[in-house]
Amino acid sequence: MTPSLRPYLEDVSLREGLLSRTPLGRVGEPNEVASLVVFLCLPAASYITGQTICIDGGLIVNGFSYQPQA
């Protein structure tokens, strides 16, 4: 887990809420982000332009909104 996420994910209720809405059910690893960056640097990706590629384990598949439990 990246150090910048640690304070957020130490809050058990926030962590459980986030992971319960993430289809993969876990936090992404730096090497997973790096893999996309490497691909985008290859000639094979030369025709990709103007795209938003979400590396979020499926979190926003149903739209992005955060509604904390009351």
Side-chain angles (χ1 to χ4, degrees):
M1 176 180 1
T2 61
S4 62
L5 287 176
R6 199 164 282 126
Y8 299 103
L9 296 177
E10 286 177 355
D11 180 334
V12 175
S13 63
L14 180 64
R15 178 187 175 120
E16 289 175 358
L18 177 66
L19 296 181
S20 71
R21 290 187 308 277
T22 304
L24 288 182
R26 63 180 178 81
V27 175
E29 297 294 327
N31 66 319
E32 293 170 313
V33 176
S35 297
L36 176 62
V37 172
V38 168
F39 169 71
L40 291 173
C41 292
L42 293 173
S46 65
Y47 208 66
I48 297 173
T49 62
Q51 298 301 308
T52 300
I53 304 174
C54 298
I55 307 173
D56 64 1
L59 179 65
I60 65 167
V61 71
N62 294 316
F64 182 75
S65 67
Y66 175 67
Q67 300 294 325
Q69 296 293 328

